[in-house]
């Protein structure tokens, strides 16, 4: 929302991290997964999806009806990614939609497409 686009991958698994270095399978999987070259988004590697399903499973019932599910979307290829625009709809239907946030985001994308054509 401040003009800085980001992309990335989230993976679960073993890794080592301190103030100087990070390495391990989870980091490698996240980086490899993000090199897909698709639209900019933060995608979840299958290891992260499995961990999420495991932990959300403790709530019982259908995972698609949990509040956390609104923070995630599934792409046409089946990959799961973070729905970073969900906060623009947080008050919907009672409080409406934050159209100013959606409009700022749209304008940022249009500018980026022009700048990096």
């Amino acid at each position: 929302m401040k003009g800085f686009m980001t992309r990335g991958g989230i993976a679960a698994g073993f890794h080592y991290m301190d103030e100087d270095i990070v390495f391990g399978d989870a980091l490698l999987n996240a980086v490899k997964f993000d090199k897909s070259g698709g639209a900019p988004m933060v995608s979840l590697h299958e290891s992260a999806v499995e961990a999420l399903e495991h932990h959300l499973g403790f709530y019982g019932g259908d995972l698609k009806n949990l509040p956390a599910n609104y923070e995630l979307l599934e792409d046409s290829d089946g990959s799961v990614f973070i729905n970073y625009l969900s906060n623009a709809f947080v008050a919907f239907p009672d409080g409406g939609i934050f159209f100013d946030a959606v409009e700022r985001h749209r304008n940022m994308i249009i500018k980026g497409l022009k700048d990096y054509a």
Side-chain angles (χ1 to χ4, degrees):
M1 301 313 288
K2 300 292 183 183
F4 182 75
M5 297 295 288
T6 187
R7 64 179 309 126
I10 298 174
F14 292 107
H15 74 284
Y16 171 81
M17 185 167 114
D18 66 21
E19 56 275 347
D20 297 317
I21 191 167
V22 60
F23 65 89
D25 289 340
L27 175 66
L28 295 174
N29 285 335
V31 170
K32 280 192 272 186
F33 191 67
D34 179 50
K35 288 192 173 187
S36 64
M41 63 178 75
V42 178
S43 300
L44 277 66
H45 182 267
E46 63 187 53
S47 61
V49 173
E50 289 172 7
L52 186 65
E53 288 174 340
H54 172 75
H55 291 287
L56 291 178
F58 291 114
Y59 291 97
D62 185 9
L63 294 179
K64 294 186 188 279
N65 293 325
L66 293 175
N69 192 53
Y70 299 108
E71 304 297 327
L72 302 171
L73 292 176
E74 186 174 339
D75 205 354
S76 60
D77 66 359
S79 62
V80 177
F81 63 96
I82 294 177
N83 178 13
Y84 61 88
L85 287 176
S86 65
N87 283 335
F89 302 92
V90 72
F92 184 79
D94 299 326
I97 299 170
F98 295 103
F99 286 107
D100 59 326
V102 176
E103 184 178 0
R104 282 195 320 266
H105 181 65
R106 181 203 63 200
N107 293 342
M108 185 185 68
I109 290 176
I110 291 170
K111 182 183 180 312
L113 289 171
K114 288 178 185 174
D115 291 348
Y116 303 104

